[in-house]
């Protein structure tokens, strides 16, 4: 039995499987990763997008954010075979939740499901928890209203910097910025899912950004089988039961076929 077959066997026998994904699962869809060759942080300085910069200089923040959104989300991009394979496992098996660091919304497009913020879960729905928020939305920093991002990005590109809400408040991309806390409820939910999991799959993430990067360790310390699918090594490889160095668009469909056969 090879590593992937072993992992599929553990997934089949598990009551609760949790998947944790990073930029690597969306790279085949054309969304650039942050680190590694040609990564976003080779072209931009993380500090430009920090929460302190947004508070200090919202106009300059928004001008840079528009450039980042163009770089990351330019043109049409859609779920790839890896997103679809996870969605299929969610529909047919015990995939309890997908915890994603990605803000591209592609897991939701592949498998419309509850968003994990308390919406009613039906038994067969997979919770999708967007730990870092969603770049396709904006949120008013005064009234808290969330809006579809496209029309607001257009207004900002037309010179409204920063774009403002009807209430007069400044809009912020609905993502967790560097230096900003993840919403307590979200990280608590993610931690309890990691603790409850029998199998924890870390897919397409360098596993370096906290607190998300601690989730595989939390799952392992709670007795879960940890499987890592990633092209490069990660700091969690040592605690994983299976490390699979393969492209997500090869590994995930094969894992799905083995699990659902
Ligand atoms: N198949 C498998 N793995 C891949 C593929 C692929 N096709 N393409 C890239 N990878 C791997 C890379 O080897 C890399 O280790 O995906 C990983 C992506 O790592 P990062 O770019 O660091 O992305 P991520 O782990 O999601 O970053 C976490 O950092 O900057 C913040 O908020 C940002 O959510 C992001 C967080």
């Amino acid at each position: 039995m090879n590593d992937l077959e072993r992992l599929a066997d553990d997934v089949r026998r598990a009551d609760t499987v949790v998947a944790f994904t990073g930029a690597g699962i969306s790279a085949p869809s054309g969304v650039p990763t942050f680190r590694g060759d040609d990564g976003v942080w080779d072209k931009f300085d993380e500090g430009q997008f920090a929460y302190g910069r947004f508070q200090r200089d919202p106009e300059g923040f928004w001008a840079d954010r528009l450039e980042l959104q163009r770089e990351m989300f330019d043109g049409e991009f859609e779920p790839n075979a890896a997103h679809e394979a996870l969605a299929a496992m969610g529909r047919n098996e015990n995939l309890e939740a997908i915890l994603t660091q990605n803000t591209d919304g592609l897991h939701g497009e592949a498998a419309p499901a509850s968003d994990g913020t308390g919406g009613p879960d039906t038994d067969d729905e997979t919770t999708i928890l967007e730990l870092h928020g969603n770049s396709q939305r904006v949120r008013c920093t005064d009234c808290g209203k969330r809006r579809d991002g496209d029309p607001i990005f257009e207004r900002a590109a037309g010179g409204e910097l920063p774009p403002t809400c009807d209430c007069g408040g400044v809009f912020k991309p609905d993502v967790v910025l560097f230096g900003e806390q993840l919403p307590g409820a979200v990280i608590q939910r993610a931690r309890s899912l990691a603790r409850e999991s029998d199998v924890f799959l870390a897919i397409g993430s360098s596993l370096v950004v906290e607190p998300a990067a601690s989730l595989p360790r939390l799952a392992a310390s709670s007795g879960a089988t940890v499987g890592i699918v990633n092209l490069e090594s990660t700091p969690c490889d040592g605690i994983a039961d299976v490390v699979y160095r393969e492209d997500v668009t090869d590994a995930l469909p094969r894992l799905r076929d083995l699990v659902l056969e």
Side-chain angles (χ1 to χ4, degrees):
M1 191 184 273
N2 70 31
D3 279 349
L4 204 67
E5 286 163 343
R6 218 153 35 89
L7 191 57
D9 201 37
D10 289 345
V11 169
R12 261 199 304 273
R13 285 185 287 112
D15 291 327
T16 304
V17 179
V18 173
F20 171 83
T21 67
I25 200 170
S26 294
S29 296
V31 182
T33 60
F34 293 94
R35 298 167 187 82
D37 300 343
D38 208 24
V40 166
W41 301 136
D42 288 343
K43 298 175 185 156
F44 296 88
D45 169 9
E46 294 174 10
Q48 292 172 258
F49 308 101
Y51 189 49
R53 168 95 190 281
F54 172 77
Q55 291 175 305
R56 208 176 39 253
D57 171 20
E59 183 175 348
F61 171 93
W62 264 99
D64 291 343
R65 180 73 196 187
L66 285 177
E67 225 185 298
L68 178 72
Q69 297 260 147
R70 273 189 219 99
E71 170 68 22
M72 290 195 69
F73 306 117
D74 186 29
E76 288 301 309
F77 58 94
E78 51 191 31
N80 62 55
H83 295 105
E84 304 294 353
L86 270 187
M89 286 167 67
R91 278 194 291 275
N92 295 282
E93 277 300 315
N94 43 13
L95 179 62
E96 178 71 22
I98 298 174
L99 314 177
T100 187
Q101 297 172 110
N102 300 340
T103 63
D104 52 35
L106 288 176
H107 284 300
E109 283 186 44
S114 68
D115 62 5
T117 52
D121 274 353
T122 62
D123 287 348
D124 61 351
E125 264 192 0
T126 298
T127 295
I128 296 174
L129 211 50
E130 294 177 316
L131 301 175
H132 294 169
N134 188 310
S135 297
Q136 319 311 311
R137 288 193 308 258
V138 295
R139 187 167 189 214
C140 173
T141 47
D142 276 6
C143 71
K145 194 185 330 179
R146 280 189 168 88
R147 299 273 293 276
D148 171 42
D150 285 346
I152 310 300
F153 296 140
E154 274 166 36
R155 281 168 37 192
E160 183 187 346
L161 294 173
T164 53
C165 176
D166 303 342
C167 78
V170 171
F171 278 123
K172 172 180 161 296
D174 194 18
V175 297
V176 178
L177 300 175
F178 284 107
E180 196 178 9
Q181 290 297 317
L182 269 74
V186 170
I187 196 64
Q188 289 315 318
R189 181 95 196 270
R191 286 191 174 127
S192 63
L193 284 162
R195 268 194 294 271
E196 287 158 25
S197 65
D198 303 303
V199 176
F200 189 92
L201 304 172
I203 302 162
S205 176
S206 58
L207 295 175
V208 294
V209 170
E210 292 300 349
S214 300
L215 295 175
R217 294 181 193 284
L218 182 58
S221 63
S222 307
T225 297
V226 174
I228 294 179
V229 177
N230 205 59
L231 284 180
E232 291 164 326
S233 65
T234 80
C236 291
D237 289 357
I239 55 104
D241 300 271
V242 175
V243 176
Y244 210 68
R245 284 265 176 283
E246 199 175 291
D247 191 296
V248 288
T249 54
D250 297 326
L252 269 295
R254 286 173 59 197
L255 180 64
R256 176 215 41 221
D257 294 346
L258 288 166
V259 168
L260 301 185
E261 70 185 2

